[in-house]
Amino acid sequence: MRDMLVHLHNRNYALHRLISSSEFIVMGSKHFLKPLPLTVPVAPLSSSSSSSSAQNAQLFHRYMLPFRKNPFKSSSNFHPLAVRTSVFRYSSLARIPGPVTLEGAEQKTQGSIRLSVLIKKLEELGIEGHSCQPGQYYSLLCPKCQGGESVEKSLSLFISHDGNSSLWICFRAKCGWKGSMRAFADERLSYVRLNQTAKVKKREITEEMLSLEPLCDELLAYFSERMISAGTLKRNAVMQRSYGDQIVIAFTYRRNGALVSCKYRDVNKKFWQEQDTEKIFYGLDDIKDKTDIIIVEGEMDKLAMEEAGFRNCVSVPDGAPASVSPRDVPPPEKDTKYQYLWNCREYLEKASRIILATDGDPPGQALAEELARRLGRERCWRVQWPKKNEVDYFKDANEVLMYLGPEALKEVIDYAELYPIRGLFGFRDFFHEIDAYYHRVLGDELGLSTGWRRLDDYYNVVPGELTIITGVPNSGKSEWIDALICNLSESFGWKFALCSMENKVREHARKLLEKRIKKPFFDVRYGQSLERMSLEELEQGKEWLSETFYLIRCEDDCLPNITWVLDLARAAVLRYGVRGLVIDPYNELDHQRPNSMNETEYVSQMLTLVKRFAQHHSCHVWFVAHPRQLHNWIGGPPNLYDISGSAHFINKCDNGIVVHRNRDPEAGPIDRVQICVRKVRNKVAGTIGDAFLSYNRITGEFMDWDADARRK
């Protein structure tokens, strides 16, 4: 018997090679090559074997299969564990083209070459496609997830009719691996485009076909332990099926009472489903014409909801994703992972209130978000599972039913809350923040003292606000800001990011150190009258500089733009705990803008970015902006509307301050500095008014102006 098989195989193997050869020429009748209707092993067989002919005959007949288009594709994926066995692979000679013409031979040869190259590329990715043929769908083991715990053949592979391309997707929710591959990238697809999914005819199944049976006493007892009654099981047509030496639970998926699909579960909580069946919700008929529906993550949770009195509940068929997809929701025809939503669209359109009662773990919350994205957040609600102990929460509906009972589960649904919509809130969402504000939990709700008693009556530093500083040149704007942040550092331990483009680093360091140590950096010229800071004080001051200030500077000749500055400031907030940002001055930034945008629009957009940064990071921002050239200036302080560029500087800021120093000895002391608070949005933090400070030119200090003491 084996000798006959060897002879047949070798003859047909040679014939197949002859036809596949590019040098093959057909002569005579086009029916010269007529395939033999036999099925033989593909791999060559050796004529020398120690096995008996009877054993070989038995082995052959054991693996002989009736011819069909795809002899090895199972009609059902009824396997809790996919068993991979090493068996002979057989190929029907019917795949060799019968009627051959001179034109067709070359096309068939090219198709074989493309298919061989494509399969080789797929195998390099771990996809076992050696038995796959063009124009077919195959269910294979996913090389990425290996089918999960149940070793489910969850990878669907399709090869185009011309054998040049393929596409695949893993239908396991926690994997979802998908992709496409071409044999030759420069060839066009003949029959299918990779961005389209060919529709597959769904299988029609019956309870008899699947050998489903009523639940046995053992499974009824199992459900009873989980607080699921026999009546609920019967109404939901929960059945069982025998598999080898074990019995598995069969959850029947139905539409209008007809069986559409079936999902199996064994006692070890391993799941698998019938292949090539339509994806729908479990319990779909229970939400027909309902305006309020509940969506849960598993069949057991659906049954638990019914025990609590809620029949208007369905379960998703495929579990939860690992995380929320960062991409936009694809169109329905490409939304393969959530195809069950689109298949049940007519059942969901009438619902005005959809309660998402998915699991409380991260995948369950990701599923809720994915469902809300597709169903519309405006009609979605969500549940808060009760606490199990001081740390943990109950995970799902069935767990609440088991440990707390049906009344507790009913209460969870009754107290479901609106699903959050990004950017849309109610005051209730901020009650905890309002309470903290009332009780002044943070301590900075009324603003932080500037360090100058007279100025505190008008201006205090509130985290998250924007202060615009202006003043004529050489009026001491930068000096006053340096003195202010030194006071905040000493009194409250604040740290700062400094984008001071008019200062050299060493000069800025000198100014800050003199204000901190209250001694001049040098003992010449301006500092001759006071003792110079010692080397020990310098080292202590350097340590303070290092721990308090972080510099934002361009290391090349280009000008920084506001986005670049805010990105680095954000990094400083997160890395170093910075609470304040100084940008000094506005005109040193790069202000390139589109031709269609005028300066007013640009300034408005820029200040919006700065305010959002300040509010989001609870960081106070001081922004220095010079006034435009003042004509007929008579020495008085400028107005905030005099700032060069746009009135938006005063319109958008939280606080507006003008720093002005007297230059005329006849008008008053030249060391007197006027701090003009011209705008305060938050009345809790201050009001409009003027405060006067004295300026020490040697140390750079500012002190409260005491007119009475000076008269004496």
Side-chain angles (χ1 to χ4, degrees), residues 164 182 184-188:
N164 185 56
R182 282 190 176 189
F184 300 104
D186 58 342
E187 293 195 17
R188 292 180 177 269

Side-chain angles (χ1 to χ4, degrees), residues 294-581:
I294 304 169
I295 300 179
V296 294
E297 192 174 325
E299 293 81 5
M300 297 294 289
D301 296 325
K302 148 69 177 168
L303 302 176
M305 284 294 179
E306 186 160 328
E307 294 294 340
F310 300 103
R311 288 191 177 182
N312 56 328
C313 177
V314 290
S315 169
V316 300
D318 289 333
S323 60
V324 178
S325 172
R327 301 179 179 179
D328 293 336
V329 175
E333 64 272 11
K334 295 183 180 180
D335 198 12
T336 53
K337 187 175 291 187
Y338 301 94
Q339 197 60 47
Y340 56 87
L341 284 174
W342 309 111
N343 293 340
C344 305
R345 182 184 304 177
E346 66 274 14
Y347 288 80
L348 301 170
E349 287 177 346
K350 294 182 179 179
S352 58
R353 184 171 181 258
I354 302 175
I355 300 176
L356 304 178
T358 55
D359 289 1
D361 56 10
Q365 297 308 298
L367 174 61
E369 176 63 17
E370 293 289 2
L371 293 175
R373 293 171 71 191
R374 290 159 173 82
L375 297 170
R377 291 181 176 87
E378 66 278 1
R379 59 175 180 158
C380 288
W381 298 59
R382 66 179 181 181
V383 301
Q384 295 289 342
W385 299 115
K387 273 193 170 185
K388 185 184 298 185
N389 50 49
E390 292 297 325
V391 178
D392 302 319
Y393 288 81
F394 287 101
K395 178 175 175 287
D396 54 34
N398 189 232
E399 198 171 69
V400 173
L401 177 68
M402 291 174 61
Y403 289 95
L404 301 181
E407 289 300 321
L409 181 55
K410 184 178 184 300
E411 185 176 343
V412 169
I413 300 301
D414 289 340
Y415 284 92
E417 59 188 30
L418 289 167
Y419 197 87
I421 299 176
R422 186 174 183 180
L424 181 62
F425 305 96
F427 270 109
R428 181 176 297 276
D429 299 321
F430 298 92
F431 278 176
H432 64 288
E433 187 175 333
I434 296 172
D435 291 340
Y437 188 38
Y438 177 82
H439 295 289
R440 299 171 61 181
V441 172
L442 298 177
D444 55 17
E445 288 81 3
L446 303 183
L448 302 179
S449 170
T450 62
W452 300 295
R453 176 176 49 83
R454 294 186 180 275
L455 182 58
D456 286 345
D457 293 335
Y458 308 107
Y459 174 70
N460 290 271
V461 179
V462 178
E465 291 189 349
L466 168 63
T467 298
I468 297 294
I469 311 292
T470 192
V472 297
N474 202 32
S475 59
K477 299 183 293 296
S478 299
E479 288 281 355
W480 178 76
I481 291 177
D482 284 348
L484 173 61
I485 61 179
C486 285
N487 290 346
L488 292 171
S489 170
E490 182 175 358
S491 300
F492 306 104
W494 272 30
K495 298 179 180 181
F496 303 89
L498 306 179
C499 182
S500 183
M501 291 156 284
E502 288 185 332
N503 278 315
K504 294 179 180 179
V505 173
R506 64 182 187 180
E507 291 298 321
H508 203 177
R510 174 184 63 78
K511 295 176 184 178
L512 292 169
L513 288 172
E514 287 177 341
K515 292 174 174 61
R516 171 74 173 184
I517 301 172
K518 299 177 175 54
K519 291 182 180 181
F521 194 83
F522 296 111
D523 56 1
V524 296
R525 298 189 182 124
Y526 77 96
Q528 286 180 340
S529 60
L530 289 180
E531 179 187 0
R532 183 187 186 187
M533 67 180 67
S534 66
L535 186 59
E536 182 181 356
E537 290 171 330
L538 174 63
E539 292 302 322
Q540 293 175 352
K542 284 162 58 180
E543 188 68 23
W544 169 73
L545 287 176
S546 179
E547 294 176 352
T548 307
F549 303 103
Y550 302 91
L551 308 179
I552 297 175
R553 302 185 68 85
C554 264
E555 297 180 354
D556 48 31
D557 295 333
C558 65
L559 292 176
N561 58 45
I562 192 63
T563 303
W564 181 82
V565 171
L566 294 180
D567 285 343
L568 290 177
R570 185 176 295 107
V573 169
L574 298 177
R575 176 171 290 187
Y576 302 115
V578 161
R579 300 297 308 275
L581 167 65

Side-chain angles (χ1 to χ4, degrees), residues 46 70-71 91 149 224 479 499 528 563 566 589 619 688:
S46 173
N70 183 15
S91 175
E149 294 182 357
S224 179
E479 288 281 355
C499 182
Q528 286 180 340
T563 303
L566 294 180
L589 294 173
C619 178
I688 295 174

Side-chain angles (χ1 to χ4, degrees), residues 14-25 105-106 109 113:
L15 182 61
H16 179 70
R17 292 190 61 185
L18 177 62
I19 292 175
S20 300
S21 172
S22 60
E23 299 175 355
F24 173 68
I25 300 177
E106 183 177 357
T109 302
I113 294 174

Side-chain angles (χ1 to χ4, degrees), residues 69-101:
K69 197 169 186 179
N70 183 15
F72 293 101
K73 183 176 180 182
S74 173
S75 62
S76 171
N77 190 29
F78 181 64
H79 305 290
L81 293 174
V83 181
R84 302 183 65 181
T85 58
S86 177
V87 299
F88 289 113
R89 296 194 300 269
Y90 293 91
S91 175
S92 171
L93 291 183
R95 286 184 292 176
I96 300 177
V100 181
T101 63

